[in-house]
Amino acid sequence: PHMLFNTLANLRVLIATDPPRAVDMLDRLNNYLRATLSGSRALTHPLSAEFERLGDYLALMAVRMGDRLRFRLDLPPELAAQQVPPLILQPLVENSIRHGLEPKVEGGEIVVRARRSADGTSMLVEVGDTGVGIDSAQVQAAANDPGGSFGLGHVRERLSTVYGARGRLEFGALPAGGTLAIVHIPMNP
């Protein structure tokens, strides 16, 4: 609801000030909501669909944040068909915006990247940002209290439910500032 209300408020302003941007924002919101509602009934969908929803969501947030939000989505073609739970990455991207980029005056960049693990048995999906970052105490608290952050707890719970011990979430600080979340998902046969 938070994202929806903010988007509608921004849309209201854009209708009067920049109608073409308002139309673009409305189209993206429509795509996002349609996919979110249909995705809520599916147990899994292709990683490419997950990246498309993130693209719509990030484009909506970019209208709201302007030049303060930059983003890149890097999905290798060989991983596009891998099945993942719907909206598994969105809470991580939302955290990056809310806790990382919004508090930073100049904003920053979010990069979502998928790759195979070194041994080829799992897929790693990284959500990194150049936001304000977290300190070691916050990283330790997140590791010791998996339910402490709603977004992180929700992702961990869903990974555990779908994949057992083979699915997991790592969360930590980046050396140059910002945060990095890494989702480990077993490769589909």
Side-chain angles (χ1 to χ4, degrees):
H2 175 259
M3 184 276 294
L4 182 59
F5 293 135
N6 284 339
T7 301
L8 291 173
N10 284 310
L11 189 56
R12 181 178 164 89
V13 171
L14 286 176
I15 288 170
T17 61
D18 191 346
R21 256 177 88 201
V23 169
D24 182 51
M25 187 177 203
L26 186 59
D27 288 344
R28 290 190 181 274
L29 179 61
N30 188 29
N31 291 342
Y32 175 79
L33 291 175
R34 181 178 291 119
T36 300
L37 292 174
S38 67
S40 67
R41 292 185 288 270
L43 296 176
T44 64
H45 68 172
L47 186 59
S48 60
E50 186 78 357
F51 270 62
E52 288 171 16
R53 292 305 63 77
L54 287 178
D56 288 334
Y57 174 76
L58 285 163
L60 285 170
M61 295 300 100
V63 171
R64 182 164 65 89
M65 292 180 67
D67 293 340
R68 295 181 60 236
L69 173 61
R70 296 172 308 283
F71 64 91
R72 286 185 294 137
L73 302 173
D74 181 11
L75 176 59
E78 65 272 13
L79 297 177
Q82 290 295 308
Q83 296 292 303
V84 298
L87 302 172
I88 194 76
L89 301 175
Q90 174 144 353
L92 304 175
V93 171
E94 284 184 52
N95 274 353
S96 285
I97 291 173
R98 185 171 181 209
H99 301 294
L101 301 184
E102 282 183 340
K104 195 172 177 182
V105 173
E106 67 275 17
E109 181 178 37
I110 293 175
V111 177
V112 182
R113 174 182 300 123
R115 61 183 171 90
R116 282 186 189 266
S117 63
D119 66 5
T121 62
S122 62
M123 176 174 58
L124 308 178
V125 184
E126 302 172 348
V127 178
D129 68 66
T130 60
V132 296
I134 57 175
D135 62 32
S136 57
Q138 290 170 308
V139 171
Q140 192 62 36
N144 291 334
D145 185 11
S149 161
F150 177 77
L152 297 179
H154 182 69
V155 170
R156 282 187 175 110
E157 182 179 310
R158 290 183 67 208
L159 288 170
S160 176
T161 299
V162 175
Y163 304 110
R166 296 180 320 141
R168 68 182 199 280
L169 170 66
E170 292 178 50
F171 184 75
L174 288 168
T179 59
L180 178 65
I182 305 173
V183 178
H184 297 252
I185 297 174
M187 291 292 288
N188 302 327

